Amino acid sequence: MVFALGFALFALGITISVALHECGHMWAAKATGMKVRRYYIGFGPKVFSFQRGETEYGLKALPLGGFCDIVGMTALDEVPPEDLDRAMYRQATWKRMVVMFGGIAMNFLLGFLLVVVLAIGWGLPQLDPVETKLGNMNCVATANPDGTLQECTGTGPAQRAGLRRGDVVTAVNGVAVRTWKDFQRETQKQTGTFDYTIERDGAELTVAVTPERTVRYDDKGQNPREVSAVGVGSYGAEPPQKYGVLAAVPASLAFTGDMFVRTLESLAQMPAKVAALWTAVTGGERDPETPVSVYGASRIGGETAERGLWGIFILVLASLNFFLGAFNLLPLLPLDGGHMAVVLYEKARNSLRAWRGLAPGGPVDYLKLLPLTYAAVVIGGAYMVLTLTADIVNPVKLFP
């Protein structure tokens, strides 16, 4: 029941995010003197609508997006003579840019406000925890097939070598490591005394460690093998840091900047994730770093709600807004960034023509851009279907 509630709440959060995105376009258009004919949330059959002023507001049956119908968004639109001066394509460059960026700005603003709420209510987590930071140290215990460890006594190799909780391992016997799995793999393959390269209090140190041999199993509790171990666990993530109302704003700004960088990195990696998504669809292991669909994100929202992790719920929703904003910046039609690219092209072209003593050129012919638009829609649609399929048959799981 709680899972279903969390799923529905997250889906509602996505719908509100889309609605506010379109509100950003509408409010910017009205503020700059353009005419907005319709503002609708959803697609498909109309559920209801009402007229207020010159704009029709409404809701459609399928909550899969929304739209804001501005008069003369392109020169292809039919514009009544009385509205010609308010057509978007006839407006100054800065006005058109403000309108197209309005929706993106709303997503960024909503994401930031969610981060502020997170900072005050639950605390801001560490986005990039150091995975090779050493935690508690103990004796080396033999593993059981079910993943538990047998009892042991005394000190372990890590303690005897002088390693400390909080040390960050950067290399194992000269091999650089960045994740805990890297650390475990390189440690387990050692056969005698070896060196850890560590960072401690800002200094780089080399610590020699003599491991002990013990038994470990694979993830399925099978294939026992003898490996080296030093008796140390992962430090884990730092607890989230909570802030007061005033301190939350600058902290959230810094956190938002880090999230935006991560969002851009995720966008750049999207083409490379096709193979990983296909692997997940065909029965392979799902890479947790692959994109998720609206369904997949809502499922994650349901899981976090079921466990009472509302801080993670808010963080995922904020991340989604940053992604929606950044994605719409891509210079591809029919995205906002594609329309902005057309506007900037017209401005650059007309500036060049003015420098040459020529009159401004006409609006860009969107019919000539249709093949590129269709290609972007087909490729984007195929990617969305692949992602949705992966989320249905092999979803990302935040929890075991």
Side-chain angles (χ1 to χ4, degrees), residues 35 75 81-82 119 164 263:
K35 181 176 180 178
E82 64 272 17
R164 302 177 189 173
T263 300

Side-chain angles (χ1 to χ4, degrees), residues 6-7 10-11 14 292-302 316 320 391:
F7 186 101
F10 200 92
I14 295 174
V292 294
S293 63
V294 170
Y295 168 81
S298 299
R299 191 179 187 281
I300 291 173
V316 175
L320 180 67
D391 286 337

Side-chain angles (χ1 to χ4, degrees), residues 242-255:
K242 295 180 69 173
Y243 295 87
V245 175
L246 294 179
V249 174
S252 297
L253 283 171
F255 189 85

Side-chain angles (χ1 to χ4, degrees), residues 86-99:
R86 301 177 66 190
M88 182 173 173
Y89 76 89
R90 293 171 63 92
Q91 305 303 309
T93 298
W94 72 267
K95 291 184 178 182
R96 296 167 68 187
M97 291 294 289
V98 165
V99 171

Side-chain angles (χ1 to χ4, degrees), residues 97 100 329-333 335-347 364 366:
M97 291 294 289
M100 297 315 303
L329 277 173
L330 294 176
L332 300 171
L333 290 170
L335 300 178
D336 296 336
H339 291 285
M340 293 166 71
V342 170
V343 172
L344 292 176
Y345 165 77
E346 289 181 352
K347 178 64 176 178
V364 165
Y366 272 76

